[in-house]
């Protein structure tokens, strides 16, 4: 019996479902590969990706798209996802820091946006990020402190016992820990245990905790806990979250 060839998906809903399945499995897709897999033109796939991006389901890149589940992506890919929102969130977060204060800035693309927007002087910056440190290494108005620790190239962060021990001896006005996921019930969570432990040490060393999270991280949970809402003073996001505000957390929506 002759098998009938599999027909290409005729409707955009079918193609969208296949694209999202590929993203869920791989974290990223390419236009050429999708076009070949589905037997349609590259133009059709690009239009599908634009439609899905407009729905908030993915982030379109040159030649393809990446998942908004950014914990699965490397630092460069994460930096490109919702870049405008991250810059706005970073600017809004930086505006909360006052001259003379000490801030612990974690590694991460949104934390780096805050560091770039941090213009108050004098200020003390404690960080486990070489990217953050490089912004201030020649700045006389910034007292710069590096945590030390083991370098993790994919996250571009210093983690581990040495970083935690150093943070235990610090006192800061603000901690800005990175977040992979933020959930109403579970609070702030991340995908790596060593990362979570370092972030908890940051929070323990600070009077207030500032969480920066774009909408792709909201209502999601990763395996390792960083902070519950009673430990968070302020959340800056690009979307309002009244339920978190009702828990006593200051929620600031970035423009």
């Amino acid at each position: 019996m002759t098998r009938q060839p599999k027909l290409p998906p005729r409707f955009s809903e079918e193609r969208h479902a296949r694209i999202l399945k590929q993203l869920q499995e791989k974290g990223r897709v390419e236009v050429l590969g999708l076009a070949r897999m589905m037997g349609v033109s590259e133009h059709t796939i690009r239009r599908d990706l634009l439609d899905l991006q407009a729905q908030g389901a993915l982030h379109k890149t040159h030649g393809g798209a990446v998942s908004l589940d950014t914990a699965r992506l490397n630092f460069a890919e994460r930096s490109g996802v919702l870049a405008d929102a991250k810059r706005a969130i970073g600017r809004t977060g930086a505006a909360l820091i006052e001259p003379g204060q000490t801030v612990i800035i974690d590694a991460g693309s949104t934390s780096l946006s805050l560091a770039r927007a941090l213009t108050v002087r004098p200020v003390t910056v404690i960080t486990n990020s070489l990217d953050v440190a490089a912004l201030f290494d020649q700045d006389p108005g910034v007292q710069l402190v590096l945590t030390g620790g083991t370098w993790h190239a994919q996250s571009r962060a210093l983690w581990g016992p040495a970083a935690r021990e150093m943070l235990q001896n610090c006192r800061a006005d603000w901690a800005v820990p990175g977040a992979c996921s933020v959930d109403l019930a579970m609070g702030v969570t991340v995908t790596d245990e060593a990362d979570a432990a370092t972030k908890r040490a940051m929070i323990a060393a600070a009077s207030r905790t500032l969480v920066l999270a774009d909408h792709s991280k909201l209502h999601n949970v990763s395996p390792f806990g960083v902070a519950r809402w009673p430990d968070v003073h302020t959340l800056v996001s690009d979307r309002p979250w009244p339920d978190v505000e009702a828990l006593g957390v200051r929620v600031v929506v970035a423009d």
Side-chain angles (χ1 to χ4, degrees):
M1 182 176 178
T2 305
R3 294 182 61 185
Q4 294 295 321
K6 191 172 182 179
L7 297 175
R10 293 177 55 195
F11 301 107
S12 60
E13 291 83 358
E14 297 176 63
R15 297 192 304 273
H16 292 179
R18 290 199 195 180
I19 291 169
L20 293 176
K21 186 173 185 296
Q22 289 288 305
L23 274 177
Q24 186 178 27
E25 293 174 354
K26 300 179 180 179
R28 59 184 64 78
V29 292
E30 295 181 357
V31 169
L32 182 58
L34 290 172
R36 288 174 176 172
M37 181 184 75
M38 298 193 215
V40 296
S41 70
E42 293 179 37
H43 173 75
T44 296
I45 294 297
R46 290 192 184 94
R47 188 173 63 234
D48 288 338
L49 295 180
L50 286 171
D51 290 343
L52 287 167
Q53 179 172 257
Q55 296 169 25
L58 53 75
H59 175 73
K60 193 176 181 303
T61 63
H62 180 71
V66 295
S67 169
L68 290 180
D69 180 10
T70 55
R72 301 179 55 182
L73 307 176
N74 62 38
F75 185 86
E77 290 168 331
R78 289 198 305 272
S79 298
V81 175
L82 299 174
D84 289 341
K86 289 177 180 177
R87 282 191 288 269
I89 290 168
R91 287 194 301 269
T92 302
L96 301 176
I97 298 164
E98 299 176 0
Q101 290 189 328
T102 297
V103 56
I104 303 172
I105 304 179
D106 195 6
S109 55
T110 314
S111 301
L112 185 59
S113 292
L114 178 143
R116 287 176 174 145
L118 187 61
T119 58
V120 297
R121 300 291 187 271
V123 67
T124 297
V125 173
I126 303 170
T127 185
N128 65 336
S129 165
L130 299 188
D131 297 312
V132 171
L135 297 174
F136 304 117
D137 65 343
Q138 300 295 320
D139 192 325
V142 177
Q143 181 177 359
L144 178 64
V145 181
L146 278 167
T147 64
T150 303
W151 177 247
H152 291 260
Q154 182 172 357
S155 298
R156 299 194 60 74
L158 293 161
W159 298 341
R164 296 195 299 272
E165 182 177 355
M166 187 273 176
L167 287 163
Q168 287 170 4
N169 295 314
C170 293
R171 295 295 178 267
D173 298 285
W174 291 96
V176 188
C180 296
S181 305
V182 184
D183 179 70
L184 180 63
M186 300 305 295
V188 181
T189 54
V190 295
T191 58
D192 188 282
E193 185 177 14
D195 183 24
T198 304
K199 295 179 192 305
R200 290 194 297 268
M202 293 177 177
I203 291 170
S207 300
R208 286 167 286 184
T209 298
L210 170 61
V211 174
L212 312 175
D214 63 67
H215 68 269
S216 71
K217 299 179 180 180
L218 307 186
H219 311 292
N220 291 310
V221 179
S222 296
F224 300 101
V226 172
R228 296 297 183 111
W229 292 115
D231 301 317
V232 176
H233 180 275
T234 303
L235 169 70
V236 179
S237 183
D238 55 339
R239 301 278 174 87
W241 202 349
D243 290 340
V244 169
E245 206 161 13
L247 298 177
V249 178
R250 180 187 182 190
V251 177
V252 182
V253 180
D255 293 333

